[in-house]
Amino acid sequence: MSGAESFVPTPLMLSAGARARLQSMIEEENNHELKLRVYVTGGGCSGFQYGFDFAEDIAEDDTLIPFGEVSLVVDPLSYQYLVGSTVDYEEGLAGARFLVQNPNATTTCGCGASFMV
């Protein structure tokens, strides 16, 4: 690395399972411009809740985090709550879903969809 380069830690990680599922969803839609938007909103049983959506367009102040063929998009308000987290994908008795493993959460609900910092 030259002196001009700097290391910026990845604010959000994407598990191999989530990456594979996202890639297959993009291929099913036949739209390689799709990105997974991860966001935080107020509400849920613990104060904040996670949300997921597909985005083709990203706002100027969004953060784009590429992982090879797939990318995550995070808005600036949600970013602060998600730094250091991992987006994962699970299939189980409760169904299939993306979820966030957040080391910043001091409390999470039983379903893992909401948290408190």
Side-chain angles (χ1 to χ4, degrees):
M1 218 171 15
S2 73
E5 296 173 353
S6 64
F7 175 73
V8 177
T10 303
L12 203 58
M13 296 304 299
L14 188 63
S15 74
R19 192 178 305 192
R21 180 60 183 139
L22 183 53
Q23 181 67 43
S24 70
M25 293 172 85
I26 288 169
E27 288 171 5
E28 287 169 16
E29 292 293 318
N30 197 25
N31 183 351
H32 294 278
E33 297 302 312
L34 287 179
K35 297 153 190 63
L36 183 63
R37 180 175 292 281
V38 184
Y39 58 92
V40 173
T41 59
C45 38
S46 294
F48 295 101
Q49 59 189 7
Y50 302 111
F52 300 94
D53 196 5
F54 278 109
E56 280 187 84
D57 302 318
I58 60 171
E60 191 174 299
D61 58 351
D62 282 341
T63 299
L64 178 67
I65 309 165
F67 294 94
E69 299 289 317
V70 299
S71 298
L72 296 178
V73 177
V74 182
D75 66 84
L77 192 60
S78 299
Y79 184 96
Q80 62 188 328
Y81 297 109
L82 295 169
V83 170
S85 297
T86 299
V87 175
D88 199 2
Y89 180 77
E90 72 174 12
E91 293 180 10
L93 296 175
R97 64 184 179 142
F98 286 101
L99 59 105
V100 175
Q101 297 169 351
N102 189 340
N104 305 310
T106 57
T107 306
T108 57
C109 67
C111 66
S114 68
F115 69 102
M116 185 182 327
V117 288

